[in-house]
Amino acid sequence: MKVIKFGGSSLSDGASFTNAINIITSDPERRVVVTSAPGKRYSDDIKVTDLLIKYAEMTMAKKDTTEIVTIIFNRYKEIGNFFGIADEELFVIRDILIDLANTDYPNNDYLMAAFKAHGERLNARLMAKILQAKGFNARFVDPLEVGLYVTGTPNNASVVPAAYRALRRFEFSDDEIIIFPGFFGVTLTKNIATFARGGSDITGAILARAFRADIYENFTDVDAIYSANPALVDNPYAIKKMTYREMRELSYAGFSVFHDEALIPAIGGNIPINVRNTNNPDAPGTLIVPENGFEPETTLTGIASSKNFGALYLHKYLLNKETGVTFRILEILNDLGISYEHMPSGIDDITIIFDKQFLTEEIVDELCTRIQKEIEPDRLEWIRNYAIIMMVGEGLAKRVGIIAPALQSLYDKGIDIQMVNQGASRISFMLGTKREDVDAAVKAIYDRFFNQEI
Amino acid sequence: MKVIKFGGSSLSDGASFTNAINIITSDPERRVVVTSAPGKRYSDDIKVTDLLIKYAEMTMAKKDTTEIVTIIFNRYKEIGNFFGIADEELFVIRDILIDLANTDYPNNDYLMAAFKAHGERLNARLMAKILQAKGFNARFVDPLEVGLYVTGTPNNASVVPAAYRALRRFEFSDDEIIIFPGFFGVTLTKNIATFARGGSDITGAILARAFRADIYENFTDVDAIYSANPALVDNPYAIKKMTYREMRELSYAGFSVFHDEALIPAIGGNIPINVRNTNNPDAPGTLIVPENGFEPETTLTGIASSKNFGALYLHKYLLNKETGVTFRILEILNDLGISYEHMPSGIDDITIIFDKQFLTEEIVDELCTRIQKEIEPDRLEWIRNYAIIMMVGEGLAKRVGIIAPALQSLYDKGIDIQMVNQGASRISFMLGTKREDVDAAVKAIYDRFFNQEI
């Protein structure tokens, strides 16, 4: 049995729905389908989720929402009509949209979550209706009805173990196709709460685990996960097979095809994930599998990079003899509510690497001021434009020396490396560079590992 | 003006005293001399400091100490007699030794400190007497008399700022040679307290700073500090010149010629340090200088290694999303009174590296148990035999890629590298290996950097 999930661009209009339906119905094992909200039909189109956010904001501001409701409804109507479904049969979607504004919510965060969730929720309803119209035994199933329980903040929820127990009690027959909306679950107090944005991947993984699927097929709009960013490297190799943890390391440094958090349920259930292309369903895509028994074909699986880092360099003689300096630095970070990414330490030096999305100029100023005052370093330097490169591959495990050609290629090109970190993870090698050097560095490393003999 | 310090092997018998005296008197700038306790005269000899420890233990145990006092006194008497000094003039040394056991101490720690300090204290007295007998204007000066103030534990004290103020009030004339015992100071409550073992280096550095010496000459029994351990590498290069921080990084990973903590006063006073050989005083030795204006002649200055490490490897999915995990690990370490050396972290992994001298099997067990229980990692592994290699050189700053050939040479030899850490210190590159691989690794790296063209 396969759980299959379609991304927003795979469910954005009649043509893409047709592709999706062909994929669903071409394999009787594809019995659970997770939908996203309709995505963009063309490059400057607006995603339905963004329209719903606007609708929610207008509702909170008590503005007239007639027009936005019509715009949203028309997205679904257009798809329904494409498959010959009459307007009358689709008005239920419009009614649900209108009802959204007339419902009570515990607070505006829950209001926002409920509005956003309807992009997926209504698309699943529509998909079920279209499949039924085509004569398939399809059934819309709602997360609230079967108990996909979540906890946490309304717009960044996490699944709880009770959800798996509830989902396992849900019964469906061998000839049914279950259509399940992605992206949201229900709190124990019966309110809708969504996962992080892009969270339909997470729903798919939860269902795959709960229903003990043989595979979780994740249909998106690329043929595969590539070994490097195609915007940086010409025709990068498509990754045929990789491990969960390779995917996770690459996600961390910028690979965004598959949602990071969706790996966890898959790992928990040992469910292989297959990332595939709705528009090219014959392509085998990329298979993400458990580490156990995995045999890497290449040394490196992928090279990721992310420019959004900053680093604080701190030098103080005898740092390593003053017990508790690191502890005091962590206390300052805790006080300021800052989390850090890495903290490579030497004898007299520490570099603290931050994801800049969590920092403002003011927080950096305060951090520097407090460290200056409380730690009294001999030298303190804030490196604003720090970038990170992750070279990832199961083939690296225990063979760190193999990374030598990468460093050599950067050295040959005169690219400065600020930081090298290996030894925590055994399958990745992390480099720090200045932002302006990172693209050239990725190209040089890719070239050395994928285009030349090692 | 030069402050000059002799190590224990340079003041162990009449012959080595002769060398030392020639060195002192051959340069009128050498006006402050710091003595160690008499060291070994031959390989299975016992150092006077160790005899004094035994004497202290026997005193505490209220045993008969007549014989041990005679043995200790004979070490000094032998040297005195070598220079034709009559026994009667030396009996003061015996009397001081006997008095040690009849003095009141605040506790046994202070008793131990006072006993140990007399190796240096009596050797300084003896040196002054011998120089006087030879017609030189030498003066024994006692740390208690001039106020070399220290604080901390009796056997691991640290200098306090008041010491510098007191030492600067001490006056001596241009034609005097001041003989000052190393290794100990005086607490504000007038008790003797010693530095860490080997701490005569520290005394010399404090005096060099206090008296604003032009240079601090540190006479020991090797021609220079070598770029690698001569027990591992045949005829390693002698380091002509290096910076304070290069010395410090190399000390950390096993270079033991010059006492680590002695660098701090020298750094504070910007005093160059010259490590030289008592037995080959014409050799220029190694000069340790401030970073400012230093121009490295080679890429690497030295390669050090130390086998006494252990590492804890911890893997937990989503580790980097659980805020405060590192903080909780540090709290556990704090609770158990364990300090750690480095903590390279990945996305889902942390490796914590420990200096094993601070750990027992029981503490490691308790640490693992608590981390298992409180952090619940997916995988936890204690790596018992961890070794560290430090490649150090000012020439490395900002040119990390240059390290590529080192990793290549290890890879070519099939040596596993467990950890690579760069980016904290800018002048060093740290590698982690298994203990059994470390010697071969040092040889390979040395060979690549010092015997081949890069």
Side-chain angles (χ1 to χ4, degrees):
Chain A
M1 197 275 287
K2 299 176 180 176
V3 169
I4 168 173
K5 175 253 168 187
F6 291 98
S9 62
S10 304
L11 296 174
S12 62
D13 57 15
S16 57
F17 258 71
T18 305
N19 288 342
I21 289 166
N22 287 339
I23 289 166
I24 296 167
T25 57
S26 66
D27 183 345
E29 289 296 311
R30 289 177 176 144
R31 285 172 45 216
V32 176
V33 177
V34 175
T35 62
S36 297
K40 292 183 181 185
R41 294 159 295 183
Y42 39 85
S43 70
D44 56 355
D45 196 11
I46 302 173
K47 294 179 179 179
V48 166
T49 304
D50 289 317
L51 293 170
L52 286 163
I53 290 170
K54 201 174 163 198
Y55 176 26
E57 286 165 351
M58 290 171 79
T59 303
M60 291 188 247
K62 303 197 191 308
K63 288 186 186 164
D64 179 10
T65 57
T66 316
E67 193 191 341
I68 187 86
V69 166
T70 304
I71 293 170
I72 297 169
F73 172 58
N74 281 342
R75 289 294 307 266
Y76 294 101
K77 181 170 161 311
E78 179 193 305
I79 298 166
N81 292 162
F82 182 95
F83 291 100
I85 296 177
D87 287 357
E88 298 78 59
E89 287 207 59
L90 298 167
F91 285 150
V92 58
I93 288 176
R94 194 187 52 189
D95 295 343
I96 293 172
L97 279 171
I98 293 168
D99 260 5
L100 271 178
N102 302 323
T103 306
D104 283 334
Y105 303 95
N107 59 44
N108 280 345
D109 288 339
Y110 278 107
L111 180 151
M112 179 58 81
F115 274 61
K116 282 192 310 183
H118 276 73
E120 282 74 6
R121 203 181 195 191
L122 297 175
N123 225 18
R125 253 180 202 281
L126 181 63
M127 175 61 90
K129 202 177 277 287
I130 294 168
L131 283 169
Q132 287 155 7
K134 283 176 170 287
F136 293 101
N137 185 13
R139 171 155 58 125
F140 167 72
V141 173
D142 197 275
L144 278 71
E145 161 198 338
V146 292
L148 200 175
Y149 294 113
V150 296
T151 185
T153 52
N155 292 282
N156 193 13
S158 301
V159 66
V160 290
Y164 290 103
R165 290 194 294 273
L167 287 164
R168 283 189 183 136
R169 283 193 296 269
F170 171 68
E171 289 180 3
F172 52 105
S173 66
D174 280 1
D175 58 355
E176 262 187 317
I177 302 172
I178 300 301
I179 313 293
F180 201 101
F183 187 42
F184 69 98
V186 58
T187 65
L188 296 173
T189 52
K190 304 287 175 199
N191 289 293
I192 285 178
T194 72
F195 299 121
R197 184 123 195 206
S200 291
D201 283 351
I202 302 175
T203 304
I206 291 167
L207 299 189
R209 180 179 183 182
F211 301 150
R212 298 188 173 89
D214 298 307
I215 195 161
Y216 169 31
E217 290 182 322
N218 194 285
F219 278 86
T220 175
D221 53 4
V222 289
D223 271 0
I225 297 173
Y226 294 101
S227 50
N229 183 349
L232 292 179
V233 171
D234 288 337
N235 297 315
Y237 280 90
I239 300 171
K240 283 185 205 143
K241 206 179 197 182
M242 67 199 300
T243 64
Y244 296 135
R245 58 182 184 179
E246 285 179 325
M247 184 71 247
R248 188 151 152 65
E249 303 263 350
L250 289 166
S251 292
Y252 173 77
F255 273 34
S256 58
V257 175
F258 187 75
H259 201 293
D260 197 16
E261 285 179 45
L263 282 169
I264 309 310
I267 291 165
N270 253 335
I271 316 286
I273 301 160
N274 192 4
V275 174
R276 305 183 68 160
N277 191 351
T278 311
N279 308 311
N280 185 14
D282 293 334
T286 298
L287 209 54
I288 309 170
V289 299
E291 289 82 41
N292 223 336
F294 177 79
E295 289 291 336
E297 287 177 16
T298 51
T299 305
L300 279 193
T301 296
I303 308 165
S305 62
S306 170
K307 297 183 183 177
N308 202 30
F309 290 89
L312 197 68
Y313 170 76
L314 188 155
H315 177 85
K316 182 180 168 74
Y317 261 109
L318 288 187
L319 186 73
N320 72 332
K321 296 217 169 158
E322 279 187 45
T323 47
V325 170
T326 322
F327 197 67
R328 271 154 55 211
I329 293 173
L330 286 184
E331 278 179 329
I332 294 174
L333 293 176
N334 251 11
D335 276 4
L336 297 175
I338 308 171
S339 69
Y340 72 96
E341 301 294 310
H342 306 282
M343 199 187 277
S345 65
I347 316 306
D348 295 323
D349 320 69
I350 289 184
T351 301
I352 314 171
I353 298 165
F354 300 94
D355 188 335
K356 283 211 293 194
Q357 67 173 298
F358 303 119
L359 293 181
T360 62
E361 293 279 330
E362 292 73 41
I363 286 180
V364 171
D365 282 351
E366 199 174 338
L367 174 64
C368 291
T369 306
R370 283 198 55 182
I371 286 184
Q372 192 69 57
K373 196 175 146 207
E374 294 171 39
I375 311 290
E376 298 182 331
D378 300 323
R379 192 166 153 202
L380 187 68
E381 193 183 323
W382 170 248
I383 304 159
R384 188 180 305 272
N385 294 322
Y386 208 81
I388 283 199
I389 298 170
M390 293 285 270
M391 303 165 62
V392 177
E394 294 283 340
L396 288 178
K398 292 190 179 173
R399 294 194 298 163
V400 180
I402 210 163
I403 231 65
L407 291 178
Q408 187 74 54
S409 68
L410 300 180
Y411 181 62
D412 291 345
K413 287 201 156 43
I415 298 171
D416 272 355
I417 298 294
Q418 305 278 317
M419 185 265 294
V420 178
N421 184 8
Q422 200 283 338
S425 163
R426 289 166 181 192
I427 61 152
S428 74
F429 200 89
M430 193 190 298
L431 300 177
T433 68
K434 288 193 178 149
R435 189 191 289 177
E436 58 265 32
D437 291 329
V438 68
D439 291 351
V442 168
K443 279 182 230 179
I445 296 170
Y446 183 88
D447 196 49
R448 188 69 188 84
F449 273 88
F450 289 90
N451 294 336
Q452 294 174 33
E453 282 295 313
I454 302 280
Chain B
M1 195 277 286
K2 299 176 179 174
V3 169
I4 169 174
K5 175 255 168 185
F6 291 98
S9 61
S10 304
L11 297 174
S12 63
D13 57 14
S16 57
F17 258 71
T18 305
N19 287 343
I21 289 166
N22 286 338
I23 289 165
I24 296 167
T25 57
S26 65
D27 183 345
E29 290 296 309
R30 290 175 175 146
R31 286 170 46 213
V32 176
V33 177
V34 174
T35 62
S36 297
K40 292 183 180 185
R41 294 159 296 183
Y42 40 86
S43 69
D44 56 354
D45 196 12
I46 303 172
K47 292 179 180 180
V48 166
T49 304
D50 289 319
L51 294 170
L52 285 163
I53 290 170
K54 201 174 163 198
Y55 176 25
E57 286 166 351
M58 290 172 79
T59 303
M60 291 188 248
K62 302 196 192 309
K63 290 187 184 161
D64 180 10
T65 57
T66 316
E67 193 191 340
I68 187 86
V69 166
T70 304
I71 292 170
I72 297 168
F73 172 58
N74 280 343
R75 289 293 307 266
Y76 294 101
K77 182 169 159 311
E78 179 193 304
I79 298 165
N81 293 161
F82 181 94
F83 291 99
I85 296 176
D87 286 357
E88 298 78 56
E89 287 206 59
L90 298 168
F91 285 150
V92 58
I93 288 176
R94 193 188 53 191
D95 295 343
I96 293 172
L97 278 171
I98 294 168
D99 261 4
L100 272 179
N102 302 323
T103 306
D104 284 334
Y105 303 94
N107 59 45
N108 279 346
D109 288 339
Y110 278 106
L111 179 151
M112 180 58 82
F115 275 59
K116 281 192 310 184
H118 276 74
E120 282 74 7
R121 202 182 197 189
L122 297 174
N123 225 16
R125 252 179 204 281
L126 181 63
M127 175 61 89
K129 202 177 277 286
I130 293 167
L131 283 169
Q132 286 154 7
K134 284 177 169 287
F136 293 101
N137 186 13
R139 171 155 59 125
F140 166 73
V141 173
D142 198 276
L144 279 70
E145 161 199 339
V146 292
L148 199 175
Y149 295 113
V150 296
T151 184
T153 51
N155 293 283
N156 193 13
S158 302
V159 67
V160 291
Y164 290 104
R165 291 195 293 274
L167 287 164
R168 282 188 183 135
R169 283 193 297 270
F170 171 67
E171 289 180 2
F172 52 105
S173 67
D174 281 1
D175 59 355
E176 263 186 317
I177 302 171
I178 300 301
I179 313 293
F180 200 102
F183 187 43
F184 69 97
V186 59
T187 67
L188 296 172
T189 50
K190 304 288 175 199
N191 290 293
I192 285 177
T194 71
F195 299 121
R197 184 125 195 205
S200 291
D201 284 351
I202 303 175
T203 303
I206 292 167
L207 299 189
R209 181 179 183 182
F211 301 150
R212 299 187 172 87
D214 300 307
I215 195 161
Y216 168 32
E217 291 182 322
N218 194 286
F219 278 88
T220 175
D221 53 4
V222 288
D223 271 0
I225 297 173
Y226 295 101
S227 50
N229 183 350
L232 293 179
V233 170
D234 287 337
N235 298 313
Y237 280 89
I239 301 170
K240 283 184 204 142
K241 206 179 196 181
M242 67 198 300
T243 63
Y244 296 136
R245 59 182 184 178
E246 285 179 326
M247 183 72 247
R248 189 152 151 64
E249 302 262 351
L250 289 166
S251 292
Y252 172 77
F255 273 34
S256 59
V257 175
F258 186 75
H259 201 294
D260 197 18
E261 285 179 45
L263 281 168
I264 309 310
I267 291 164
N270 252 335
I271 318 284
I273 301 160
N274 193 3
V275 174
R276 306 184 66 160
N277 191 349
T278 311
N279 308 311
N280 184 14
D282 294 332
T286 298
L287 209 55
I288 310 171
V289 300
E291 288 83 41
N292 223 334
F294 177 80
E295 290 292 338
E297 287 177 17
T298 51
T299 304
L300 280 193
T301 295
I303 307 164
S305 62
S306 170
K307 297 182 183 178
N308 202 30
F309 289 89
L312 198 68
Y313 170 76
L314 188 155
H315 176 85
K316 182 179 168 74
Y317 262 108
L318 288 187
L319 185 73
N320 73 331
K321 296 213 171 161
E322 278 188 44
T323 47
V325 170
T326 322
F327 197 68
R328 271 153 56 209
I329 294 173
L330 285 184
E331 278 180 329
I332 295 172
L333 293 175
N334 251 11
D335 275 5
L336 298 175
I338 308 172
S339 68
Y340 73 96
E341 300 295 309
H342 305 284
M343 199 187 275
S345 65
I347 316 307
D348 295 323
D349 320 69
I350 289 184
T351 302
I352 314 171
I353 298 164
F354 300 94
D355 188 335
K356 282 211 294 195
Q357 67 174 297
F358 303 119
L359 294 181
T360 62
E361 294 279 330
E362 291 74 39
I363 287 180
V364 171
D365 282 350
E366 199 173 340
L367 174 65
C368 291
T369 306
R370 283 199 56 182
I371 286 184
Q372 192 69 58
K373 196 175 146 205
E374 294 171 39
I375 311 290
E376 298 182 331
D378 301 322
R379 192 166 152 201
L380 187 68
E381 192 183 323
W382 171 247
I383 304 159
R384 188 181 304 272
N385 294 322
Y386 207 80
I388 284 202
I389 298 170
M390 292 284 271
M391 303 166 62
V392 177
E394 294 283 340
L396 288 178
K398 292 190 179 171
R399 294 194 297 160
V400 180
I402 210 163
I403 231 65
L407 291 178
Q408 187 74 54
S409 66
L410 300 180
Y411 180 61
D412 291 346
K413 288 202 156 43
I415 298 171
D416 272 355
I417 298 294
Q418 305 277 318
M419 184 265 293
V420 178
N421 184 7
Q422 200 282 340
S425 163
R426 289 165 181 193
I427 62 154
S428 73
F429 200 90
M430 192 189 299
L431 300 177
T433 68
K434 288 193 178 150
R435 189 191 288 177
E436 58 265 33
D437 290 329
V438 68
D439 291 351
V442 168
K443 279 183 230 179
I445 296 169
Y446 183 88
D447 195 49
R448 188 70 188 84
F449 273 88
F450 289 90
N451 294 337
Q452 293 174 34
E453 282 295 313
I454 302 280

